[in-house]
Amino acid sequence: AFEDKAYRYGINGLTFINIGINIVVMKLPDSLKIYSKEQNSAAQAQRHAQEIAFAPVVFQISRLMVKYGILNLLYQNPDGLTLSQIVEKIKLSEYAIKVLLEASLSIGTVIVENDKFFITKTGWFLINDKIVGVNMNFNHYVNYNGLYYLDEALQNGKPEGLKVFGDWKTIYEGLSSLPQEAQKYWFDFDHFYSDGAFNEALGIVFPTKEDKITLLDVGGNTGRWALRCVDYNKNAEVTILDLPTQLEMMKNNIKGKNGADRIHAYPMNLLDSNAVFPDEKFDVIWMSQFLDCFSENEIIEICSKAKKSMKENSRIYIMETFWDRQRYETAAYCLTLTSPYFTAMANGNSKMYHSGDMEKCVSKAGLSVEKIIDGIGMGHSLMICKL
């Protein structure tokens, strides 16, 4: 029975997962203690269940309240507006506006008093919190249609939802060919989370701005981090390892920019078991928002290959948004709900990882975690690994 079933016990904020003879202990940080006990009364739980049942409707209504400027109009009119006043200013029929407003009352993004509509705090965040907008556009333009195939993706271990865009094994192969809006909001999502962490990370990776440092950027994407490195340290040499199609996008992006002559390309498909890392030994191997694109077995293989490009004093820097190391529960919520994107759209077998799972992979690759620095940028952690 132990070989076939997993038994979970929640005790004092600890989750024990018994699979066979292996015990994995997951300690929840204070910000996530709500995951270890019931939060709702029966009435609240019933309401929450209905919110889940109508979640696609809630999403689209709220997105259109933003798109058509209704929430912004109410925000600009703190004394409230009547239905007729809203109809005068918004280019939709009275019927359409009634549908949106009445649904939004139930959703909680607007309230009505004395026949006037007002924006709520939740509505305010929908139009003023940039991260909410980034997440909403990403989910609509990249994920929404493909998530219909999440069931198939979970069963088959393949990104079955990706077929709404094209016939690729992973979304990374097709990034340069995605529809314009999907491509734009994919990169907006990717860059928003990573860019905010770069300033702090540069000071950690480069103790001084003058040292001659060679850096291998694994999965360097469009070269944004590489450009920051060569601008920050005038003696840094950066090699970007990525798919050939990605490297072409990278070359176009860095062309003519400061330090571009110190950025080099190394084409490699990391899913090719025969592919090898460069023979050169690098001071720094950088993997930012990268390993979450692979399964645990693939992470072990990648780190094992990366190890061969290290010197005795080299370090691998793994920058990830580990869901268990977030300061606020809302951040963990965003991250665990991003995992289905990887399942349905990206590759079918990766996710936003718990830091303990990543440490386990690093250890199996023959590396050790020297330290983890939390609170970098938008909830990033920097896992520093050595031989």
Side-chain angles (χ1 to χ4, degrees):
F2 279 126
E3 291 177 356
D4 299 330
K5 297 180 182 179
Y7 297 91
R8 289 177 178 265
Y9 307 88
I11 305 173
N12 297 327
L14 295 176
T15 298
F16 295 83
I17 307 173
N18 191 337
I19 305 175
I21 60 172
N22 299 315
I23 302 291
V24 179
V25 182
M26 181 189 298
K27 188 177 189 309
L28 298 174
D30 290 341
S31 63
L32 304 184
K33 288 295 175 64
I34 65 169
Y35 290 173
S36 65
K37 59 183 179 181
E38 177 64 70
Q39 298 295 312
N40 298 316
S41 66
Q44 289 171 327
Q46 184 185 40
R47 167 61 187 239
H48 192 197
Q50 293 291 3
E51 289 173 350
I52 293 170
F54 280 95
V57 182
V58 171
F59 175 81
Q60 290 296 355
I61 289 289
S62 302
R63 186 184 72 85
L64 294 176
M65 287 286 285
V66 174
K67 175 183 176 179
Y68 290 122
I70 300 174
L71 287 178
N72 194 57
L73 180 64
L74 295 176
Y75 172 61
Q76 293 173 350
N77 291 272
D79 294 330
L81 293 174
T82 63
L83 174 63
S84 60
Q85 288 174 319
I86 296 172
V87 171
E88 285 178 12
K89 296 180 181 295
I90 301 297
K91 294 180 180 180
L92 289 173
S93 69
E94 181 177 313
Y95 162 79
I97 292 175
K98 276 186 177 180
V99 168
L100 292 171
L101 283 173
E102 290 170 4
S104 296
L105 287 172
S106 297
I107 294 168
T109 54
V110 301
I111 56 175
V112 63
E113 185 178 358
N114 297 326
D115 292 328
K116 284 188 174 183
F117 291 89
F118 302 82
I119 191 171
T120 65
K121 293 176 183 176
T122 301
W124 184 94
F125 276 103
L126 277 176
I127 61 173
N128 288 291
D129 189 342
K130 187 174 181 181
I131 192 171
V132 173
V134 167
N135 289 341
M136 180 170 280
N137 286 329
F138 178 69
N139 280 317
H140 178 68
Y141 291 102
V142 179
N143 296 330
Y144 199 84
N145 290 329
L147 282 173
Y148 182 85
Y149 301 97
L150 179 60
D151 189 357
E152 294 176 35
L154 288 166
Q155 294 187 54
N156 300 335
K158 298 178 181 179
E160 301 290 359
L162 186 55
K163 58 192 167 193
V164 302
F165 292 134
D167 184 23
W168 307 293
K169 289 184 178 179
T170 71
I171 199 169
Y172 313 107
E173 298 171 32
L175 277 179
S176 60
S177 302
L178 286 178
Q180 185 175 358
E181 286 182 321
Q183 185 185 88
K184 168 180 165 48
Y185 292 116
W186 189 95
F187 279 112
D188 282 355
F189 180 84
D190 183 71
H191 293 162
F192 181 80
Y193 280 94
S194 61
D195 287 4
F198 283 170
N199 286 340
E200 294 173 64
L202 283 168
I204 298 171
V205 174
F206 300 102
T208 74
K209 295 184 178 183
E210 294 78 30
D211 289 346
K212 290 185 178 182
I213 290 180
T214 57
L215 183 146
L216 179 64
D217 185 358
V218 185
N221 214 325
T222 56
R224 292 166 78 90
W225 166 253
L227 283 171
R228 294 295 301 276
C229 290
V230 295
D231 182 63
Y232 185 86
N233 184 321
K234 306 305 180 185
N235 293 312
E237 294 281 340
V238 179
T239 299
I240 296 179
L241 185 157
D242 215 324
L243 291 166
T245 53
Q246 285 297 102
L247 292 177
E248 288 304 313
M249 294 178 68
M250 177 274 292
K251 290 174 183 177
N252 290 331
N253 186 54
I254 70 170
K255 189 175 182 179
K257 294 182 180 177
N258 182 45
D261 59 313
R262 288 181 281 121
I263 299 176
H264 318 288
Y266 186 88
M268 178 177 172
N269 181 355
L270 285 153
L271 294 178
D272 181 355
S273 59
N274 295 318
V276 295
F277 271 56
D279 291 333
E280 179 183 351
K281 303 295 184 181
F282 295 88
D283 299 304
V284 171
I285 297 178
W286 174 260
M287 302 180 187
S288 174
Q289 291 182 189
F290 172 72
L291 291 179
D292 54 34
C293 302
F294 298 91
S295 69
E296 290 188 25
N297 287 336
E298 289 167 346
I299 291 172
I300 295 168
E301 184 177 354
I302 290 168
C303 289
S304 297
K305 289 182 177 181
K307 185 175 64 172
K308 297 177 182 178
S309 292
M310 296 176 69
K311 298 182 284 191
E312 183 179 351
N313 295 322
S314 300
R315 294 294 184 270
I316 294 180
Y317 293 83
I318 299 171
M319 190 163 76
E320 290 286 348
T321 45
F322 298 118
W323 68 260
D324 65 301
R325 302 184 76 93
Q326 300 303 307
R327 184 177 180 184
Y328 300 108
E329 189 276 333
T330 299
Y333 176 92
C334 293
L335 293 172
T336 56
L337 290 181
T338 298
S339 287
Y341 146 76
F342 290 99
T343 309
M345 303 300 297
N347 51 40
N349 60 10
S350 71
K351 60 192 288 291
M352 304 305 292
Y353 283 100
H354 184 286
S355 62
D357 291 332
M358 188 63 70
E359 287 192 70
K360 178 182 67 177
C361 293
V362 166
S363 177
K364 287 185 176 180
L367 300 163
S368 64
V369 176
E370 188 172 38
K371 63 179 175 179
I372 303 177
I373 304 173
D374 293 322
I376 298 176
M378 295 291 295
H380 286 77
S381 297
L382 196 58
M383 183 177 285
I384 305 174
C385 307
K386 62 181 182 178
L387 291 171

